Amino acid sequence: MQRWTIGEVEVVAVFETSDGFGPEFVRRLIPEATRERLREMAWLVPHWADAAGDAHMVVQAFGIRSAGRLILVDTCIGNDKVRRNPAFHMLATPFLERLREAGFPPEEVDEVVCTHLHFDHVGWNTRWDGERWIPTFPKARYLIERRELEHWRSQGAAKNPALADSVEPLVEARLLTPFELGAGFAITNEVELVPTPGHTPGHLSVRVSSKGALAWVTGDALHHPCQIAHPEWTSPADDDQPRAADTRRAMLREVAETRALLLGTHFASPSGGRVRHRDGGAWFEAETGSKSGEAE
Ligand SMILES: [Zn+2]
């Protein structure tokens, strides 16, 4: 389990799966990230690509402990969900046990943050109790940005099956808290949600600031570390590709200028590191934090 300390805040990565997020998937997601181009980035090897230029990603959540509150950022794909892609269909992972081991028992989580409403960020919002989808985190406030929610509701069920099984059941349970993001939204005096639109209209990232130390959880503002060197590499999965690239550039600039720790939502382990610049080029330098428990 990967764990980082940012001032008085503790962040832990909780792994769900890497199935379906291998080289073919990365090439579809970021078409410019060809084998040839990735082989030019030796720093990607071995953590985020192999020497042949085959890249990989993971699906994971970040647990944040701040000011006595347990905050969970993005809830992965989830178990028992009916999905078209066989790699994501009817998963049966021990994610909740891992979450518990990481110090985030579902019944104690205070806040669930969804950076956006794609299926791989909202799945564990709910779990199947044998009859229906119920909230996995029974006392949590589920924070979902209002524009993001309205966008997906206007798209219809076929565009985003996760809406019906992973978001709408929270309304019935009165746990869904749609909020206006504006320029930002503070959860504690150390953890703030900031707008990073482009991948989706209401996409947000999480900024942690404590005792002079800073960290960002990206959500899908970045998908893979190769985009640190090439923020212009967009994705067909980005709703507004030019805007996504602008957002990526702005975020990376701020991360570099403030020497913040960057925690990549889909970055394979080590998922944290620093953005480095030299001679007009940029790269990512892993910062593993402390590790404990079984292999991820
Ligand atoms: Zn994603």
Side-chain angles (χ1 to χ4, degrees):
M1 211 155 276
Q2 307 181 74
R3 221 175 264 278
W4 300 266
T5 304
I6 298 105
E8 293 179 338
V9 178
E10 185 187 72
V11 180
V12 55
V14 184
F15 176 84
E16 186 189 44
T17 186
S18 54
D19 291 352
F21 281 75
E24 288 300 326
F25 180 83
V26 180
R27 279 190 286 272
R28 271 204 313 276
L29 189 68
I30 312 170
E32 285 169 281
T34 60
R35 283 203 178 94
E36 293 69 31
R37 298 306 305 274
L38 294 187
R39 280 201 298 261
E40 294 165 6
M41 291 179 239
W43 55 268
L44 288 175
V45 182
H47 307 307
W48 309 298
D50 65 19
D54 280 332
H56 45 267
M57 294 166 45
V58 301
V59 182
Q60 63 193 346
F62 285 102
I64 302 177
R65 190 182 290 270
S66 162
R69 299 191 77 71
L70 297 186
I71 304 161
L72 191 62
V73 181
D74 284 343
T75 63
C76 306
I77 298 170
N79 280 3
D80 305 309
K81 304 262 151 134
V82 174
R83 297 290 180 256
R84 241 193 337 250
N85 185 325
F88 312 137
H89 178 65
M90 299 295 279
L91 294 194
T93 73
F95 176 79
L96 291 186
E97 287 76 61
R98 290 186 196 133
L99 202 56
R100 214 173 271 284
E101 280 167 30
F104 289 75
E107 61 280 5
E108 289 177 24
V109 169
D110 298 292
E111 317 271 357
V112 176
V113 174
C114 300
T115 61
H116 62 298
L117 298 187
H118 281 159
F119 78 98
D120 56 324
H121 298 261
V122 299
W124 275 110
N125 281 0
T126 59
R127 62 184 177 83
W128 186 249
D129 78 345
E131 286 178 11
R132 61 201 175 99
W133 296 107
I134 60 167
T136 308
F137 309 98
K139 71 161 219 192
R141 175 170 73 150
Y142 286 75
L143 289 164
I144 290 180
E145 207 272 337
R146 189 182 299 280
R147 265 176 317 167
E148 180 76 7
L149 184 62
E150 284 167 4
H151 168 74
W152 289 109
R153 278 179 169 164
S154 74
Q155 300 288 305
K159 278 259 187 167
N160 188 350
L163 198 67
D165 59 35
S166 305
V167 177
E168 298 298 358
L170 307 172
V171 178
E172 211 175 311
R174 297 173 182 274
L175 295 180
L176 183 71
T177 307
F179 68 101
E180 308 287 345
L181 187 53
F185 180 92
I187 297 182
T188 67
N189 58 10
E190 298 165 320
V191 179
E192 183 193 10
L193 310 180
V194 292
T196 47
H199 180 60
T200 62
H203 190 279
L204 58 87
S205 300
V206 182
R207 185 164 51 199
V208 177
S209 163
S210 175
K211 302 269 166 196
L214 283 164
W216 283 73
V217 177
T218 60
D220 283 359
L222 284 114
H223 285 102
H224 187 274
C226 69
Q227 289 172 303
I228 290 167
H230 290 285
E232 76 281 9
W233 285 1
T234 55
S235 173
D238 290 339
D239 177 74
D240 181 335
Q241 297 189 23
R243 198 172 187 205
D246 286 346
T247 288
R248 212 156 25 243
R249 280 191 204 96
M251 177 196 272
L252 288 169
R253 197 178 310 123
E254 183 173 336
V255 165
E257 280 171 5
T258 59
R259 300 170 193 277
L261 177 70
L262 186 71
L263 299 165
T265 296
H266 283 299
F267 292 8
S269 175
S271 310
R274 308 278 168 177
V275 175
R276 303 291 187 203
H277 284 272
R278 190 189 296 146
D279 305 329
W283 73 97
F284 195 47
E285 194 171 276
E287 189 163 308
T288 52
S290 61
K291 291 207 173 199
S292 63
E294 61 195 308
E296 41 247 81

